[in-house]
Every structure is written in C-alpha cells, then in structure tokens.
Amino acid sequence: VGQFLQQTINGLSVGSVYALLGLGVTLLWGTLHLLNFAHGQFITWGVFGVTFALHSGLPFWLAVIIGLVTGMGVAVLLDRLVIGPLLKLHASEFGFVVATIGFGLAFGAIIQWRTGGLEVGYPRGHLPTGALHVGSLIIPTLQLITLVVSIVVGLLLIAGLNWTHLGRSFRTVAYSREISELLGVNSRLIYTLAFAVSGAVAALGGIFIASDTSVISYGFGNTFLLTAFAVVIVGGLGSPKGAVVGGLLLGLFEVYVTVYVSQTFRQAVAYVAIIVVLMLRPQGLFGEKVTSRV
Amino acid sequence: VFDLYSQYHFFIDVTLIRLVLVISVFVAFQAGLFSLASVGFMAIGGYTSALLVTKTGAPLLLAILAGVVVAILMALFISPVLRLRGTSLALATLAFSQVVVVIIGGVSFFGGQLGINVFATKLDSSIVVVSVIVACLVAQRIHRSHYRRALWGLRVDENTAAGLGVGVRTTSLMLFLVSAAVGGLAGGLDAFHSGLVLPEAYNFDLVVLGLTYVMVGGFGHWSGAILAAVVGEVIKQALHTSGGIWTNLAYGCVLIIVMMVVPNGITDPRVWRRVGRRLRPGGGPDSEPPLPAAIAPALVGDTTRSGSEAS
C-alpha cells in the first residue's frame, strides 16, 4: 500500500505539469475551436526566453517574466499573422490545423538554427529541487509547487471565465462569434487575449519541465504536444476544469503503466488515451457534446 | 562520374518512394478524411516485409505484398476511427501512427530501437518505378470512376452528400483501405531501399512531408500533389538540404501561404479558370456566377496571381 501511495504521489507530480500544458490548449479550443499544433512552440520559445535571460545574468523573477512574455509574443504573432487572415478568409477547420502545423515548423526551425540543433543547458536551482518526507513518503518540492501553481492557474481561469465581465465576453465569443459581435464584443481582441494567455501558460509549464530536466533543445515543446492534446481530450475540449483533472489522470496512468507494466509503453499511454476517449466519449469528462450541423 | 551517378540514382529512388507516400495521403484527403495514419501504415508495411525476409527468407516481392496486406488488415482493425471527422480524425490517426512507432521501438521482436537490418536484400529500381505507376493508376482509376463526384461531395459537405445518396461509410472505408495499402507499399519499398527499418524513421517530419505536398497539390487531381512533391524534392536536393533547418522553415511557410492563398491547392479548377480569364484579352477580372458558400472562400482575395506563382 505504501508503494502504491508513493506512486500515486509521483503520478500527481507528473500530472501537475500536464495540467498546465492542457490549460493553454483548452483555452484556444474553448474560444476558437482551434486545436493548436503550434502549442509546442509557445513552450519552447518561453523556455528559451527564460534561459537566454538567465544566461545574460538577469534575476530569476525577471527571467520568468521575460519567458512568459516571449511565449505570449509568439502566440500573439500566430494570432495576428496566421489566424486573423484565415478568419477573414473563412478558412475550413482543415485550413487552421494545417496552418498551425506550418507555423510550428517555421518557429521550431528558427530555434533549431539559433542553437545549431544542439541541446542547451537550463540553469536549474532557481526553483527548489529537494523533497519533503512525510512518514515513508517522498514528495518532491518542485512538483508540489507545480501542482499548486497549476491548480491556482486553473482556478483563476475558471473564476475569470465565470465571474468577470471579460470572462463572459470570452464565453459569448466561444458560443458564437456572430452573436457576440452583435452584442458589441470585439471578438478579434478576445481571440488575441486568448492566445496571449495560452502562450503565457504554456511558457509557465515549460519552465517547470525544464527545471526538472535541466536540458532543453529546439524540439523540447513538441515532445509534449500530443500529451497536451491527450490531456484536453480526456478532460473535455474547452473545459479548464477538465484540463486540470485530465492532466492529473494522465500523469497517474503514465506512472502506473511505468511501474506495473513497462517503462517502454509509458509514451503510448497518451496516444492510446487520445484514441480510446475520442472513440468512446468524444466530449471527454467535462466537455460539451458536439453534433454535426448541415 | 560513377560516384555522381550513384548519388543521383539514390535521390531518384527516395523521391519515387515518397511519391507513393504522397499518393497514400492524397487518397484519404481527397475524400475529406484528414488522416495522418499513412506514416503508421508505412511503418507497418516496412516492418512486415523486413521481418518476413529476415525471419522466413521470403522473396522480396512476396514480402512487400505481405506488407501491403497487413497494412490493409490494420486499417480494417482501426477503421472505427472513421466515425470521427476533421480535427478529431487527424488527432486520432496521428496518435495511431505514434502508437505504432512506440510498439515497434519497445518490443524486442521488432528489433527495438536498433531496427531490422535488410541490407542483404537488394531492391531493384524497376520495382520502385512500377510501384509508383501502380499507385498513380489506382489514384487515376478513382478519379475517373463515379466515385469522383461522391468524393467531392464528401469533402465539401458530408451530410448533404449522404442526403444525395452517397454511401458515406462505405466510400470512406474503401478510400481509407486504399490509402493504407498504398502506405504499406511505400513502407515495403522504403525498407529495402534504405536497407534498414528504424522506429525513428517514421517520425512527424514524414507526416508533415506528405501533408505539405498534398495541401500544395490540392484535391482536384492527384497529379498536383505529385508535381508538388517532385518540385519540392528537386529543390531540396539542389540546395543540399534533406530534413534540415531550412527545409522545415520552408515547409512551414509554404503550408501557411498555401492555406491563405490557394486553400484548395494548385489543382483547384477555379484557380486555373481565374488565371485563364486574366490572361485572355478583354476578359473582365470577375464574371463568374456566385459559388456555394462552402467553397466560395477559396476565391476571397487575390487567388489568381499568387496561385500561378505557387505552382
């Protein structure tokens, strides 16, 4: 039982980062119905922003802000350069997905060019790396902080979406862009804001992962792309609550599979989760049912 | 001179095998099935034929054929995903491709991360050429059949197509199986051409490669995707970049620009009608009857001039 409890703690630790990654993806799906394949680049650019700032000798808090702003900046660029024009052209769902794949490739290539495709050291030690001992259980401090941060960010998003004027605008735009425009909501501004928040949350998630791995490269963010998608598919597309719960669930499953089945198939958990949930319960745990319209 | 020839020869074979993959992606996309499973089927075809040759000593052609059959069976097995549409289907099929890679990389029977070595079996270029021709003939056969209009309907609006008597499920399934078969064929060829099957070879870059060429070529006719692939690969070869930084940057930009300028690709008949009208003396800039809302977006903006540049 003790071992199972320890594995559960490990699973929740892994899942807390997944929850953060999922929050950024679910926000864009919630407002735009866009599955953003460039999300990995928000993570990568954010983390590289932090690393660059730290290497220039800036204090950690300032570096984090620079990283978040970098993630935000890439996200807003995606919105302004690609999504805006495509919205004007009334592009198909197909078109948005392909264009975000293209944007992700192009921005990944820029980092690859700057780093020469090599791995770069991420200076850890700015976040505590120790562990708390409760009885026989070990709780890593970094993961505890991550868990608290992702729950706080998730709660802030839920609260913001439900109880503020801006949040209501978000939900109106998500419900129907045309109706929101009639009601005087600037839907383009809402989209840009959604991208900015998504980029910042992605960068935040990236910082926590990098503090754990201490090595980053141009493909850093993309390795978590399908995991982030799996999180929102499990939790329900567009639901912040679903992203947090889905992230924790996925983390638990990954750790249980690693321990009780095999390390090799750990990666397959996210992929199988995507397929199984899409087939059996496409709306996920907390999502809304979608019906096709003529 | 001989060295130069052999290098050139290798490049031609790689390109031809990629054309087979492109046809596999095209066949699915043509029916509005946004399937990213082709690379997964390629892995299945490659590993099946490599295993047959190394473990049982089967002849090359039989091994490649077996790869095709196993890819089709696998497609039948995962065919329930065809219930999904659009982004969900893309995601599920991408996940499928990744699961295949994880499994072949993790099970020792499949050679693990080291893959399977089939250097001993030589692949003749004529087999590659014949395979490309067969793949193109299959695509052309679909294009010339009564399915063509059904596919167009499926792509534009599935519910309307169903209302007009198109068997949505049967048609989708058939096209998915053909796509899998052609993907499996590409896998078998690739295995014996490179002499090695590796799990990491079937990565996201390969998915993007197929996707890029098919989106540029468009869904009007398979030759567009083939043309895009040949031109793209030749340019890459001329610049001496294969899968490098500039390739990804270029693919990325091309994907974005295509989605904005010619969302239906260069073989979209409307693009050419507009080009023709521009070139004809005295032809007005726009004298076309209004199009149904579902396909009208293709005409928004200055599609004409940039469309001809992209080709």
Side-chain angles (χ1 to χ4, degrees):
Chain A
V1 179
Q3 201 224 350
F4 182 77
L5 210 57
Q6 180 64 52
Q7 297 309 341
T8 307
I9 291 175
N10 295 348
L12 292 176
S13 308
V14 172
S16 56
V17 157
Y18 292 173
L20 268 183
L21 300 181
L23 280 172
V25 173
T26 214
L27 191 63
L28 286 185
W29 178 273
T31 43
L32 269 115
H33 289 264
L34 169 76
L35 196 60
N36 175 22
F37 276 76
H39 197 74
Q41 294 313 315
F42 301 174
I43 303 172
T44 314
W45 278 71
V47 169
F48 270 91
V50 177
T51 315
F52 181 74
L54 286 176
H55 281 309
S56 330
L58 294 175
F60 182 64
W61 62 271
L62 192 59
V64 168
I65 292 176
I66 289 177
L68 297 189
V69 171
T70 314
M72 239 184 231
V74 174
V76 172
L77 270 182
L78 171 63
D79 175 54
R80 289 283 144 178
L81 294 179
V82 179
I83 303 300
L86 284 180
L87 281 171
K88 258 186 214 148
L89 294 170
H90 302 282
S92 60
E93 191 185 350
F94 225 65
F96 283 102
V97 170
V98 173
T100 56
I101 291 179
F103 184 89
L105 271 182
F107 270 70
I110 295 174
I111 295 268
Q112 193 184 359
W113 167 53
R114 293 307 304 170
T115 59
L118 301 172
E119 290 188 328
V120 176
Y122 175 85
R124 56 198 289 187
H126 294 283
L127 288 171
T129 45
L132 296 175
H133 294 266
V134 182
S136 63
L137 300 175
I138 304 163
I139 307 171
T141 325
L142 176 66
Q143 272 75 9
L144 197 63
I145 297 174
T146 316
L147 183 61
V148 172
V149 168
S150 53
I151 289 177
V152 167
V153 171
L155 286 178
L156 278 179
L157 275 178
I158 293 169
L161 284 173
N162 283 311
W163 296 317
T164 66
H165 184 77
L166 190 63
R168 278 194 291 275
S169 309
F170 262 86
R171 288 190 295 144
T172 322
V173 173
Y175 179 73
S176 160
R177 193 175 170 214
E178 285 79 16
I179 292 174
S180 70
E181 289 281 339
L182 287 176
L183 295 171
V185 179
N186 183 348
S187 65
R188 277 302 291 136
L189 185 69
I190 295 292
Y191 286 160
T192 310
L193 278 175
F195 269 96
V197 175
S198 172
V201 174
L204 193 63
I207 293 169
F208 283 118
I209 301 173
S211 305
D212 195 33
T213 61
S214 79
V215 169
I216 53 174
S217 72
Y218 70 94
F220 177 75
N222 275 345
T223 50
F224 297 100
L225 184 64
L226 276 175
T227 311
F229 287 169
V231 168
V232 293
I233 296 283
V234 170
L237 283 159
S239 155
K241 183 172 57 178
V244 174
V245 177
L248 296 177
L249 272 180
L250 197 68
L252 280 175
F253 267 105
E254 282 201 355
V255 169
Y256 290 152
V257 166
T258 312
V259 176
Y260 299 109
V261 185
S262 143
Q263 164 75 36
T264 333
F265 295 113
R266 178 184 177 149
Q267 283 177 295
V269 172
Y271 309 142
V272 173
I274 290 179
I275 300 175
V276 169
V277 176
L278 277 178
M279 295 308 305
L280 300 181
R281 194 180 159 83
Q283 73 272 32
L285 290 175
F286 300 104
E288 285 163 29
K289 248 199 164 117
V290 206
T291 44
S292 74
R293 278 169 287 191
V294 180
Chain B
V1 178
F2 177 75
D3 196 44
L4 200 69
Y5 170 76
S6 64
Q7 203 184 346
Y8 196 52
H9 191 248
F10 186 83
F11 160 71
I12 291 176
D13 281 357
V14 170
T15 307
L16 288 175
I17 293 168
R18 285 184 175 172
L19 293 186
V20 181
L21 174 68
V22 166
I23 293 278
S24 163
V25 178
F26 174 83
V27 167
F29 275 33
Q30 185 182 37
L33 298 173
F34 198 178
S35 160
L36 302 178
S38 289
V39 171
F41 293 131
M42 196 173 161
I44 290 167
Y47 267 82
T48 306
S49 45
L51 279 172
L52 270 179
V53 165
T54 48
K55 306 248 168 179
T56 68
L60 178 78
L61 282 178
L62 191 69
I64 292 179
L65 201 64
V68 171
V69 172
V70 174
I72 293 175
L73 290 177
M74 202 51 152
L76 264 180
F77 179 68
I78 65 157
S79 62
V81 298
L82 293 179
R83 255 190 294 163
L84 305 170
R85 280 296 174 268
T87 316
S88 303
L89 180 65
L91 201 50
T93 46
L94 182 59
F96 161 74
S97 291
Q98 299 294 322
V99 169
V100 170
V101 171
V102 171
I103 289 175
I104 59 182
V107 179
S108 55
F109 178 71
F110 298 115
Q113 294 297 328
L114 297 175
I116 303 169
N117 188 331
V118 284
F119 274 114
T121 317
K122 288 274 171 285
L123 177 72
D124 198 76
S125 288
S126 60
I127 298 173
V128 180
V129 174
V130 170
S131 303
V132 174
I133 294 172
V134 168
C136 289
L137 283 178
V138 168
Q140 180 64 14
R141 182 78 196 83
I142 295 170
H143 184 79
R144 296 288 296 173
S145 70
H146 64 279
Y147 276 115
R148 179 175 156 199
R149 273 170 196 284
L151 295 175
W152 185 72
L154 283 184
R155 203 164 61 236
V156 174
D157 190 335
E158 195 178 284
N159 291 334
T160 310
L164 293 171
V166 175
V168 173
R169 290 180 64 175
T170 329
T171 315
S172 308
L173 179 64
M174 196 202 77
L175 269 285
F176 190 60
L177 295 184
V178 173
S179 168
V182 178
L185 176 65
L189 295 173
D190 180 59
F192 296 108
H193 177 257
S194 56
L196 187 65
V197 280
L198 276 177
E200 68 200 44
Y202 308 100
N203 54 19
F204 192 61
D205 288 352
L206 207 55
V207 176
V208 170
L209 180 122
L211 181 69
T212 311
Y213 293 142
V214 172
M215 295 315 287
V216 173
F219 314 122
H221 193 259
W222 54 269
S223 58
I226 292 291
L227 182 71
V230 170
V231 171
E233 292 295 309
V234 167
I235 290 175
K236 260 162 61 181
Q237 175 71 13
L239 297 175
H240 293 290
T241 57
S242 52
I245 299 162
W246 302 113
T247 316
N248 280 345
L249 193 63
Y251 278 178
C253 295
V254 164
L255 280 179
I256 297 173
I257 293 168
V258 165
M259 289 336 294
M260 288 184 190
V261 182
V262 273
N264 291 312
I266 54 171
T267 48
D268 186 357
R270 290 189 299 277
V271 172
W272 294 104
R273 240 177 277 149
R274 290 202 112 207
V275 174
R277 216 175 306 119
R278 281 279 170 103
L279 295 178
R280 218 175 299 135
D286 209 341
S287 53
E288 205 166 23
L291 287 154
I295 47 177
L299 287 175
V300 181
D302 188 10
T303 45
T304 325
R305 207 178 302 142
S306 324
S308 56
E309 267 167 27
S311 68

